[in-house]
């Protein structure tokens, strides 16, 4: 192992000498227990990609196509959120608005995912969007935009963990309300449920780190088959709307109160790129197949809801706070049957939280690898050895028996747990404040997509060569990128709109205030770093140097 470690260090240092750049942290600071075994280093193309990025392989490449497809598909959790967000759909557009709104979203995602798939094939790195921004942006704004993108991604994915856990937790509270009329939901109940969901997700990511690819087979099967276990009873037992009412009738209602937080939307991620075999080819396929599968499952859900939702006012007045729970009980006439169907939604949402935690932790780890965060030296460590840990980290590491060779970003996972707990505690003081934090999630992520695709467009307009890739949009690339931006920018603007007409402090969308705070924070941090001459230098791969096999 020592010889392999020295050989990897020599290779990494030689690469940097050739490019005339300074060695990255893991070219000189990787410890011997962090070096991944040869069988987990992937294909020759993966090794080549890592050399071009100036990185040493410290994470296991144990995800093949089907496991990463399961990961990407469940991460988006389209049909689950269609059920969970039915309140917003019925309030703002009705069944017709749901159908046409989803159709527009699917069309937009075609161009967005094609753009992402190409960038993922060009540069398959755990850094994702912030690395792409660094690589494709003009040199004069490279540092600022990539640094901003890194922070937006980190905030977006960490907030996404909490928001999805919040949805799952409040559905549990809705089920309790359905089965116990005397139950009065309390904010601290929801807080504990959110913390429990995040803790379970972190525990799975640590204790089942080696088995996670195998588990993704089962999660993918549950994601697909679970939907049919729900929609088949609905379609068989429910009275139906006619096609005109179901698909063309657009209505608005102000009767509903926003009880479950802001609407949740998801886009896929690239943060597991350094754990995928033959990533430059497998990752684009997984992104596109995952999007296609979710589009099909989403349409099945949309058609089911559009044709089976016949009494909108009754669903909006449900004491559970979730119209879909009332729909289930009205159709099945059984609380037990409703509980089973809702349990499928909850379990798949928790599985999505597991994927969210994996994504969020890899983002923290990758950005710390480029010294983007405070305490980056601590956050970028992989597979911490318990005896060398301190304080609570040592205790928690002992609990999960994390051993050298597991090759997981353990410290970054603890950050996801800590962030989840802290944000969940906000709910004890004010659910409005929690919604303000959660609402920042989607705008932060959309910002990173706008920046990365926009920088790619800029590079195409400048006529500069792009890195070689196994998945290329060819001559249609610029048009596809532009159309993606045309959709993304309005989506981003709509993130700041309130969800009801007649705004008060509780229904106000505080996203705009939170977004401005983040922008000011990043700008101030950059000013401080510039004064200290310590601005993080993101890695850059020269297109001319890339020639994949």
């Amino acid at each position: 192992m020592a010889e392999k470690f020295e050989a990897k260090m020599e290779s990494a240092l030689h690469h940097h000498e050739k490019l005339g750049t300074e060695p990255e942290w893991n070219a000189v600071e990787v410890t011997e227990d962090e070096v991944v075994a040869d069988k987990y280093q992937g294909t020759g193309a993966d090794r080549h990609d890592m050399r071009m990025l100036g990185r040493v392989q410290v994470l296991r490449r144990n995800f093949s196509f089907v496991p990463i497809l399961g990961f990407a598909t469940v991460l988006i959790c389209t049909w689950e959120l269609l059920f969970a967000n039915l309140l917003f759909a019925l309030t703002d557009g009705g069944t017709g608005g749901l159908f046409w709104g989803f159709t527009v979203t699917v069309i937009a995602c075609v161009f967005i995912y094609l753009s992402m798939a190409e960038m993922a094939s060009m540069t398959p790195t755990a850094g994702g969007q912030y690395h792409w921004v660094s690589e494709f942006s003009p040199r004069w704004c490279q540092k600022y935009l990539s640094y901003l993108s890194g922070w937006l991604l980190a905030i977006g994915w960490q907030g996404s963990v909490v928001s999805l856990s919040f949805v799952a937790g409040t559905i549990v509270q809705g089920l309790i309300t359905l089965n116990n009329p005397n139950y009065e939901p309390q904010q601290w109940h929801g807080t504990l449920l959110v913390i429990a969901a995040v803790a379970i997700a972190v525990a799975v990511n640590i204790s089942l780190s080696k088995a996670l690819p195998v588990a993704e087979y089962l999660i993918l099967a549950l994601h697909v088959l679970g939907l049919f276990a729900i929609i088949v009873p609905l379609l068989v037992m429910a009275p139906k709307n006619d096609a005109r009412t179901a698909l063309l009738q657009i209505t608005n209602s102000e009767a509903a109160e926003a009880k479950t937080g802001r609407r949740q939307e998801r886009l896929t991620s690239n943060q597991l790129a350094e754990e995928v075999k033959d990533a430059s080819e497998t990752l684009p396929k997984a992104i596109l197949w995952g999007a296609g599968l979710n589009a099909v499952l989403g349409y099945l859900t949309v058609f089911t809801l559009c044709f089976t939702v016949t009494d909108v006012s009754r669903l909006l007045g449900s004491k559970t706070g979730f119209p879909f729970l009332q729909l289930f009980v009205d159709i099945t006439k059984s609380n037990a049957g409703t509980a089973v169907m809702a349990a499928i939604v909850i379990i798949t949402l928790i599985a999505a939280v597991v994927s969210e935690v994996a994504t969020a932790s890899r983002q923290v780890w990758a950005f710390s690898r480029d010294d983007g965060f405070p305490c980056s030296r601590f956050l970028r460590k992989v597979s911490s050895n318990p005896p060398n840990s301190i304080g609570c980290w040592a205790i928690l590491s002992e609990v999960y028996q994390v051993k050298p060779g597991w090759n997981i970003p353990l410290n970054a996972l603890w950050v996801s747990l800590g962030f989840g707990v802290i944000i969940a505690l906000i709910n004890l003081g004010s659910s409005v404040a929690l919604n303000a934090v959660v609402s920042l999630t989607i705008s932060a992520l959309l910002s990173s997509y706008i920046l990365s695709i926009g920088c790619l467009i800029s590079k195409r307009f400048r006529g500069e060569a792009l890195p070689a890739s196994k998945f290329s949009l060819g001559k249609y690339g610029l048009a596809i990128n532009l159309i993606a931006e045309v959709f993304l920018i309005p989506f981003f603007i709509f993130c700041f709109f309130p969800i009801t007409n007649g705004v008060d402090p509780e229904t106000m969308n505080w996203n705009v205030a939170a977004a401005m705070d983040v922008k000011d924070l990043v700008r101030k941090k950059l000013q401080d770093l510039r004064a200290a001459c310590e601005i993080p230098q993101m890695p850059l791969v020269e297109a001319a140097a890339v020639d994949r096999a």
Side-chain angles (χ1 to χ4, degrees), residues 78-94:
T78 299
W79 69 260
E80 294 90 343
L81 288 178
L82 282 169
F83 278 114
N85 288 328
L86 184 58
L87 170 66
F88 302 106
L90 297 181
T91 304
D92 187 14

Side-chain angles (χ1 to χ4, degrees), residues 445-455 485 488-490 492-493:
L445 291 177
L446 284 176
S447 299
S448 70
Y449 290 105
I450 291 171
L451 284 172
S452 57
I453 297 175
C455 288
E485 289 287 75
L488 280 169
I489 292 173
F492 175 72
I493 294 172

Side-chain angles (χ1 to χ4, degrees), residues 70 90 104 166 189 219 233 254 293 308 310 315 326 347 355 415 445 490 517:
L90 297 181
V104 170
F166 185 59
H189 297 169
I219 293 173
E254 298 300 333
L293 178 58
T308 59
T310 56
L315 299 187
Q326 190 64 49
I347 292 171
S355 296
V415 168
L445 291 177
D517 287 342

Side-chain angles (χ1 to χ4, degrees), residues 482-524:
L482 287 171
I483 296 173
E485 289 287 75
V486 167
F487 280 108
L488 280 169
I489 292 173
F491 288 169
F492 175 72
I493 294 172
F494 288 141
C495 286
F496 302 99
F497 280 45
I499 58 176
T500 61
N501 188 16
V503 177
D504 57 36
E506 291 190 2
T507 58
M508 170 65 182
N509 187 345
W510 296 101
N511 195 356
V512 61
M516 291 301 101
D517 287 342
V518 171
K519 180 182 72 68
D520 291 341
L521 175 66
V522 173
R523 183 173 60 183
K524 185 178 184 304

